[in-house]
Amino acid sequence: MKQTDRRSFLKIAASSVGIGLLYSAYPAALSAGEAGGLFSALGRANGEKPSPFSFVQLSDAHVGFNGPPDPLGTKAFERAVDMINALPQRPDLVLFTGDLTHDTEDRDVHVQRMKQFQEISKRINVPLIKCVPGEHDAGLDSGGLYREFFGETHYSFDHRGVHFVALDNVTRAKPEVGSEQLAWLKKDLARFPKTAPIVVFTHRPLFDLRPDWEWFTSDGDDVMNVLSAYDNVTVLYGHIHRDDEHQIGAVHHYASRSLIFAFPDPTGVAGPRKTVPFDKEHPFKNLGIRTVSFNGKSEPGATSLSIEDVELTAREFQGINGVHQLFRNPLV
Amino acid sequence: MSRTKSFIVATATTLCLSVSLLVSGTRRVHAENVPVIDITAKRFAFSPDKITLKKGQTVKLRLHSEDVTHGFFLRPLKLDEEIPAGQTTEVTVTPETAGTFTTICDHFCGANHGNMNMTIVVE
Ligand SMILES: [Cu+2]
């Protein structure tokens, strides 16, 4: 547990029993006046003042994958859908950070997998689902089929005062974003003040987490250079099928668990990447979802964005993965 | 044959000895007198899966794909190559640091792509 704010954690936990993983944003440590000024400024830049909402991050469902290591198929994904639908407060949106489907060279089979993903994700009771592709969705055909189903692979949108950026680091078949997309990112962010709350969601880590397992983005440093001009950036990603938390400058990076199988902690593990063995007794162990809530209020003494990762096992909480500030430097 | 040239050839042969245990036909010296090491990429492995280089000595890696497009990435050696389907890519490298490194295929090539790699030892 790192820098966790007790108060906000307890508040979150109380509303999330049995849900899975919860992720919560608070504009913290601001007086009512400061926050009001910040929100007004963001409203002017963004078209929308920050206001309360929550969202969910899902990742790596690999629809179509059938073990080893695990025989779950889409069970964990469907369980996650049920959990989201059981949330006491309906989230505004779901972010899916890649590997919606598992790869196959048979186009028809891949079409079926994408359809199946859509069928299951349609059952999520949210107004908006936003995705980025993973290499298993888009690595073999430069994202051709993915685009037919889910649209562009990088884009941005504003939601209640938070700017969301979908970054694609898979369709060039390599772990890279590429110069065109970098130029687009710069342009996209140019209209925002330094303090704008920005959530970047992508598939692979934007830093060298474990390059020999392909847990990196080769031009991730270039992306970070662009993002480092902003004070309040959160990067959400998948790919590594496990929790991870990392800070580069003021930017916090969080990996989400998968909905199919888990990879182990790479620390001290030499050699090839192996999956965590499937545990029949605890089929959903090490799998998870993440929900994020943002109360949009100025609450003196409250903290900012807190993230809690809980396994995809009903009524079982396991650990919190830290806290960071959505609003690090209030704009006055 | 001049002295210089025979020296270079000898060095190349020494280098290739360590490689030739794993690959046949690697004892070739390019026109530029740089030792050449042939590496074949085929889903989902490199062959050989381990080569040994000498620190400070320039070698040419001749990377050949036998099927689809593969990648060849190793940041510490500044290697970031694309091996197009059925083609050969040549890259010259002079390792500056000793160590054992894992080069990966970083061009998504299918099911077991995630573990397609090989070892480069720099002595
Ligand atoms: Cu490959």
Side-chain angles (χ1 to χ4, degrees):
Chain A
M1 194 190 296
K2 291 167 201 163
Q3 316 163 269
T4 303
D5 182 86
R6 271 285 145 207
R7 185 180 147 172
S8 63
F9 167 63
L10 292 174
K11 206 174 197 171
I12 294 153
S15 65
S16 65
V17 174
I19 291 159
L21 203 135
L22 187 72
Y23 198 177
S24 175
Y26 290 86
L30 300 179
S31 72
E34 282 170 335
L38 170 61
F39 291 164
S40 298
L42 289 174
R44 281 192 299 276
N46 213 348
E48 256 184 320
K49 269 194 197 183
S51 63
F53 72 100
S54 67
F55 66 93
V56 174
Q57 181 193 7
L58 297 180
S59 205
D60 297 82
H62 288 258
V63 169
F65 178 88
N66 38 27
D70 85 80
L72 284 179
T74 57
K75 283 201 189 78
F77 184 17
E78 294 181 68
R79 188 183 183 112
V81 171
D82 294 341
M83 283 175 161
I84 296 165
N85 290 341
L87 285 168
Q89 212 185 352
R90 190 169 79 140
D92 282 15
L93 76 135
V94 167
L95 300 182
F96 209 106
T97 46
D99 286 351
L100 290 57
T101 61
H102 200 62
D103 64 280
T104 161
E105 276 151 60
D106 185 328
R107 191 189 146 90
D108 294 340
V109 173
H110 212 170
V111 164
Q112 283 314 313
R113 291 176 180 183
M114 293 207 173
K115 279 187 180 155
Q116 199 186 351
F117 176 89
Q118 283 186 325
E119 275 157 25
I120 296 169
S121 61
K122 261 183 212 148
R123 289 183 226 151
I124 309 173
N125 186 21
V126 286
L128 203 58
I129 299 179
K130 296 284 190 182
C131 303
V132 286
E135 80 280 13
H136 292 277
D137 301 305
L140 288 177
D141 69 346
S142 308
L145 191 61
Y146 176 92
R147 283 188 188 88
E148 285 178 30
F149 277 82
F150 304 102
E152 249 327 302
T153 58
H154 72 272
Y155 53 88
S156 69
F157 63 96
D158 296 328
H159 188 80
R160 301 210 195 197
V162 176
H163 187 60
F164 289 86
V165 181
L167 272 194
D168 163 10
N169 53 13
V170 303
T171 61
R172 294 160 67 90
K174 293 161 84 77
E176 70 184 15
V177 162
S179 53
E180 260 175 52
Q181 198 182 168
L182 270 171
W184 168 83
L185 178 66
K186 257 182 227 165
K187 218 174 140 190
D188 179 74
L189 295 179
R191 70 190 166 100
F192 292 99
K194 217 171 165 301
T195 47
I198 295 166
V199 173
V200 173
F201 60 110
T202 189
H203 182 60
R204 289 182 167 113
L206 293 174
F207 57 96
D208 280 10
L209 178 53
R210 180 75 196 243
D212 62 319
W213 289 4
E214 212 185 64
W215 288 7
F216 73 109
T217 299
S218 60
D219 52 1
D221 284 355
D222 299 333
V223 176
M224 294 317 300
N225 280 341
V226 176
L227 296 177
S228 67
Y230 297 87
D231 287 336
N232 302 299
V233 180
T234 305
V235 179
L236 304 177
Y237 67 100
H239 186 60
I240 69 165
H241 294 213
R242 58 175 287 103
D243 291 326
D244 195 75
E245 190 191 336
H246 190 82
Q247 186 174 349
I248 301 170
V251 180
H252 294 254
H253 302 250
Y254 295 96
S256 169
R257 293 175 189 197
S258 138
L259 297 170
I260 190 74
F261 57 78
F263 285 123
D265 184 346
T267 317
V269 179
R273 192 187 62 171
K274 292 195 183 106
T275 58
V276 173
F278 183 68
D279 177 356
K280 261 191 218 156
E281 299 299 307
H282 305 95
F284 300 110
K285 198 170 168 26
N286 299 315
L287 308 181
I289 66 172
R290 169 176 294 159
T291 74
V292 183
S293 62
F294 175 68
N295 78 0
K297 289 181 201 150
S298 64
E299 291 192 356
T303 183
S304 45
L305 180 69
S306 77
I307 293 181
E308 179 189 3
D309 287 328
V310 182
E311 297 199 341
L312 188 56
T313 307
R315 312 210 174 275
E316 192 185 318
F317 277 80
Q318 294 210 354
I320 310 161
N321 256 20
V323 170
H324 80 84
Q325 292 175 291
L326 186 58
F327 296 99
R328 194 168 67 97
N329 292 321
L331 179 83
V332 185
Chain B
M1 195 181 275
S2 74
R3 260 190 105 128
T4 315
K5 194 172 174 192
S6 60
F7 169 71
I8 291 168
V9 171
T11 313
T13 308
T14 312
L15 176 79
C16 288
L17 277 174
S18 59
V19 177
S20 61
L21 294 170
L22 296 151
V23 211
S24 55
T26 52
R27 287 189 210 189
R28 264 172 249 162
V29 178
H30 193 264
E32 297 151 30
N33 287 334
V34 170
V36 175
I37 299 174
D38 282 307
I39 294 166
T40 298
K42 191 179 172 186
R43 294 188 304 173
F44 300 96
F46 291 103
S47 172
D49 63 2
K50 185 178 178 183
I51 60 170
T52 303
L53 308 181
K54 282 209 158 48
K55 187 178 155 184
Q57 188 179 61
T58 302
V59 293
K60 178 173 281 183
L61 305 179
R62 193 152 53 199
L63 312 167
H64 176 68
S65 164
E66 283 196 357
D67 46 25
V68 299
T69 301
H70 295 278
F72 198 76
F73 183 89
L74 179 57
R75 214 195 283 282
L77 263 58
K78 298 188 180 71
L79 290 167
D80 185 5
E81 307 309 313
E82 184 106 337
I83 321 168
Q87 294 182 37
T88 300
T89 297
E90 292 187 340
V91 58
T92 300
V93 60
T94 311
E96 305 291 354
T97 344
T100 300
F101 305 96
T102 304
T103 308
I104 61 164
C105 167
D106 71 332
H107 186 111
F108 188 73
C109 60
N112 294 318
H113 161 79
N115 275 326
M116 180 166 171
N117 57 47
M118 65 172 283
T119 304
I120 296 184
V121 178
V122 179
E123 290 175 339

